[in-house]
Amino acid sequence: MRKYKRIFLVVIDSLGIGAMKDAAEYGDAGADTLGHIDQTVKELKLPAMEKLGLGNLCTLSHVAPSDHPLGYYARLNEASLGKDTMTGHWEMMGLHITTPFKTFTEHGFPPELIHELEERTGHKIVGNRSESGTKILDDLGEHQIRTGDMIVYTSADSVLQIAGHEETFGLDELYRCCEIAREITMKDEWKVGRVIARPYVGRKKGEFKRTPNRHDYAVSPFGKTALDILKDAGYDVISVGKIADIFNNQGITEKYHSDSSVQGMEQTIEIAKRDFHGLTFVNLVDFDALWGHRRNPEGYGRELEKFDEKLTQLLPLIREDDLLMITADHGNDPTYTGTDHTREQTPLLIYSPGLKGGQLPVQDTFAVSGATILDNFRLSPAEGMIGHTLGGLLA
């Protein structure tokens, strides 16, 4: 394997490319995030990803196969149990999750948890159900402004979310309550992957809008990840988007908050213009949060086009001694029933100006990304980490 000074790993959050073999066990038989977007959205244009080989990897109406793809491409299966954000990202960096994070989708959080959260925060709790973030604000936003009650809800993910009006509830108070919720939900019987602060503005139903001041309080990875190993060895580990939140800041040397996926790509482009030695790890969450969960294939498709435009700007900045990897952490088919993530294979597109390009075998874990990165920097994985390098296949 050639050795690269800079590696960029970009996660298009939720861009699945077809159901895994065990998808039926998760209620996801037939899910195909990208395929169904391609079928639904008219005149979808993704020329940059087409050049990298996306149309060779997937049979699509709007993205043609390339006779001479610029990148290598492969399908990845998830080895871990689950289909949430943390599971996908943690596996990329070498962790094997055999016990899925707890969810409270069907009945909300148990009365004992809600009682303790009310006692310790001093706020009465309303909501406590699995709900869309926009609908819960329409249902309860005016009530919170009047009463000061705290809106708590969950989703199909392993999350406890608290919505607070920035002016009447206050950002500081929202963050304080989330810190208490994080402490409470560290108990094994209530442990969720993330507590999320969901600030919003507006005065009445139909006008409420969530702001970029979201903050995630994640549990720490249960073992050493590729990020820790890179940082400990003195390499740069630059987080863009919610990567730092997903790993609870472990293994991160520098971080950039993104207000949108477009901004995340703009930040990545600016980082590519400067010198660093190590990894830039990017999460682009709008695909999942704005379009997948809200079952909006049109919005998802247009977001992909925006990404492709930014990718067109990024590619010329990728040097001979750089490696770009584009992947996803799970699926979220916007044409599927419900609002849950979907258990799908994910794409891996790999580009460097000196690579030949072509198809790679189907891989049995997302952890090939982290293992390949460690191999590049001549670093060994920690005991218990999974994954194997693709270095020998990249000519």
Side-chain angles (χ1 to χ4, degrees):
M1 178 179 176
R2 291 174 48 197
K3 301 303 176 185
Y4 301 95
K5 181 180 180 182
R6 308 189 306 174
I7 296 181
F8 298 83
L9 177 58
V10 179
V11 179
I12 305 176
D13 199 307
S14 81
L15 188 67
I17 56 171
M20 283 179 51
K21 289 182 179 179
D22 64 357
E25 298 174 22
Y26 293 78
D28 296 330
D32 184 354
T33 299
L34 179 59
H36 290 150
I37 291 167
D38 176 67
Q39 293 172 13
T40 305
V41 179
K42 295 181 180 179
E43 300 180 0
L44 182 67
K45 296 177 181 177
L46 306 173
M49 284 195 283
E50 182 175 293
K51 291 177 183 177
L52 294 182
L54 184 63
N56 302 72
L57 182 62
C58 308
T59 302
L60 302 168
S61 301
H62 297 93
V63 183
S66 172
D67 291 335
H68 303 286
L70 297 180
Y72 284 100
Y73 47 90
R75 287 178 171 267
L76 307 184
N77 287 303
E78 188 167 13
S80 297
L81 300 180
K83 52 179 178 175
D84 59 71
T85 296
M86 289 178 62
T87 299
H89 283 79
W90 285 12
E91 181 171 317
M92 286 178 211
M93 292 299 112
L95 297 185
H96 187 203
I97 292 81
T98 57
T99 302
F101 292 105
K102 291 187 181 296
T103 58
F104 297 88
T105 307
E106 292 187 11
H107 305 293
F109 299 101
E112 297 83 2
L113 188 160
I114 294 298
H115 176 73
E116 183 172 347
L117 189 55
E118 287 182 329
E119 287 288 307
R120 292 185 57 182
T121 62
H123 293 281
K124 179 184 176 183
I125 288 174
V126 293
N128 190 26
R129 62 180 185 264
S130 179
E131 189 59 88
S132 152
T134 50
K135 186 175 186 304
I136 200 107
L137 294 184
D138 278 344
D139 291 348
L140 296 172
E142 292 179 8
H143 174 88
Q144 183 180 66
I145 291 172
R146 288 195 313 269
T147 65
D149 292 347
M150 189 163 70
I151 302 171
V152 171
Y153 64 109
T154 188
S155 71
D157 289 346
S158 178
V159 294
L160 184 153
Q161 304 186 79
I162 302 179
H165 194 280
E166 286 201 356
E167 297 169 4
T168 62
F169 196 86
L171 265 180
D172 290 342
E173 179 63 5
L174 176 60
Y175 295 156
R176 182 188 76 88
C177 293
C178 286
E179 289 170 1
I180 293 171
R182 177 70 279 175
E183 182 181 338
I184 292 172
T185 55
M186 290 305 294
K187 297 179 180 179
D188 287 341
E189 65 268 30
W190 300 338
K191 187 176 286 186
V192 295
R194 287 174 293 159
V195 171
I196 305 178
R198 291 288 196 176
Y200 68 98
V201 293
R203 285 291 169 181
K204 61 182 181 180
K205 181 177 180 178
E207 296 180 359
F208 294 123
K209 184 178 180 181
R210 297 196 295 198
T211 76
N213 293 318
R214 161 183 171 162
H215 187 68
D216 291 37
Y217 301 80
V219 293
S220 296
F222 58 80
K224 208 165 193 179
T225 72
L227 304 184
D228 298 308
I229 295 170
L230 287 165
K231 181 180 178 181
D232 291 347
Y235 290 100
D236 297 310
V237 183
I238 303 170
S239 159
V240 177
K242 65 178 187 177
I243 295 297
D245 287 332
I246 292 168
F247 288 87
N248 203 20
N249 294 301
Q250 289 190 193
I252 306 296
T253 64
E254 186 178 347
K255 62 182 179 180
Y256 294 87
H257 170 80
S258 305
D259 291 342
S260 67
S261 290
V262 169
Q263 186 190 29
M265 283 299 291
E266 291 171 346
Q267 291 166 321
T268 304
I269 289 166
E270 290 305 309
I271 293 169
K273 294 176 182 177
R274 64 176 236 219
D275 197 33
F276 70 90
H277 195 183
L279 171 67
T280 294
F281 195 0
V282 183
N283 175 275
L284 307 175
V285 72
D286 286 353
F287 299 93
D288 187 52
L290 297 185
W291 314 118
H293 283 303
R294 298 184 189 179
R295 294 302 185 248
N296 186 334
E298 180 73 24
Y300 204 128
R302 300 312 167 205
E303 193 75 44
L304 280 171
E305 290 181 329
K306 293 176 187 177
F307 166 77
D308 200 84
E309 291 172 4
K310 295 300 178 184
L311 180 60
T312 300
Q313 299 172 34
L314 176 63
L315 288 176
L317 301 174
I318 301 300
R319 308 167 185 168
E320 289 285 338
D321 59 348
D322 291 342
L323 188 69
L324 170 65
M325 307 169 77
I326 300 171
T327 190
D329 54 342
H330 52 71
N332 198 345
D333 188 339
T335 70
Y336 212 67
T337 57
T339 59
D340 194 0
H341 293 159
T342 41
R343 177 81 168 174
E344 296 184 51
Q345 293 183 319
T346 61
L348 179 62
L349 305 177
I350 303 175
Y351 169 75
S352 184
L355 291 179
K356 288 190 305 183
Q359 186 169 6
L360 299 177
V362 175
Q363 302 297 315
D364 59 5
T365 173
F366 296 174
V368 294
S369 298
T372 302
I373 293 166
L374 289 181
D375 178 43
N376 175 77
F377 293 108
R378 298 180 173 88
L379 298 172
S380 299
E383 184 178 354
M385 288 177 61
I386 63 170
H388 52 274
T389 179
L390 298 176
L393 301 175
L394 305 181

